[in-house]
Amino acid sequence: VVDGDTITLGASGADLWNTLDEGRFVYKTLTGDGSITAKVESLSDVQAWAKAGVMIRANTDADSADAYTVTSAASGLTFQYRLQAATAAESDTGTRGDWADRNDRPVWVKVERVGNDFSGYVSVDGVTWEPSANNPQTIFMGTDTKIGLCVTSHDASLSTQAVLSNITTTGNDTGNWDVVEWGAGHPNNEAGSIYLRLADTTGKEQVIDHPDPQATLLETWDEWIVPLSDL
């Protein structure tokens, strides 16, 4: 669900970990170097290692090489990575320091690619960034990668919900946001319409309805063009 610059993502899934990811990933294509940052406003505490954050991965395969910085429901902040496709994921768990005890939100997370070096960062204000003790990790990926937001409940029988805002990218990212799901049982929206409401300083309002009465069920990120003549 998109509301201005805020995205709400629900997901189930066993974990973003081991040799195969289970969760939800909203992404664009990144060519070359770049980064993504987001402010995780909230995350439902359905399991201590339910987590949400930002990710860069070689492709959308569930076993893809990847690097991601996440906040967990009750297990702190961490930078995690799969160095090669279909191999077990690793993390900075043994070197996190106070990251392991930081469960307060909102919190800012960032992952960055420079060549084949991938690094994770966190911040309390989105200005001053703290690097992971395990930066950088060398992960060989192609020129084109996938960059975006990731969520998992860490329990395939449960669903979690994350609210993320202030999403920014650097580098050459292209295309509309798209979504991929790994695993089953992810929560979906109920059918419903969406609308745009604009108001001026005098209190006059104009409401524009999306042309699709079941817009909440759209599975791809589509541009909605509203002619000025409608306002």
Side-chain angles (χ1 to χ4, degrees), residues 25-29 60 146-149 176-180:
F25 180 50
V26 174
Y27 66 93
K28 292 184 177 182
T29 296
T60 58
K146 305 303 179 184
I147 185 170
L149 312 172
N176 295 322
W177 290 107
D178 206 345
V179 62
V180 63

Side-chain angles (χ1 to χ4, degrees), residues 85-148:
T87 61
E90 303 176 41
S91 78
D92 58 359
T93 299
T95 59
R96 287 189 296 162
D98 74 334
W99 281 30
D101 302 316
R102 290 167 60 178
N103 299 303
D104 294 335
R105 279 167 287 277
V107 65
W108 297 73
V109 288
K110 175 180 179 180
V111 65
E112 179 180 49
R113 177 185 191 178
V114 179
N116 287 312
D117 287 342
F118 292 79
S119 300
Y121 303 85
V122 299
S123 174
V124 296
D125 57 11
V127 177
T128 302
W129 292 93
E130 304 171 44
S132 166
N134 284 25
N135 287 353
Q137 291 295 314
T138 300
I139 310 174
F140 293 98
M141 298 192 195
T143 301
D144 287 347
T145 56
K146 305 303 179 184
I147 185 170

Side-chain angles (χ1 to χ4, degrees), residues 43 75 116 123 137 153 159 169 179 204 223 228 230:
L43 174 65
S75 301
N116 287 312
S123 174
Q137 291 295 314
S153 67
S159 296
T169 60
V179 62
K204 293 181 179 179
E223 183 178 15
L228 288 176
D230 290 349

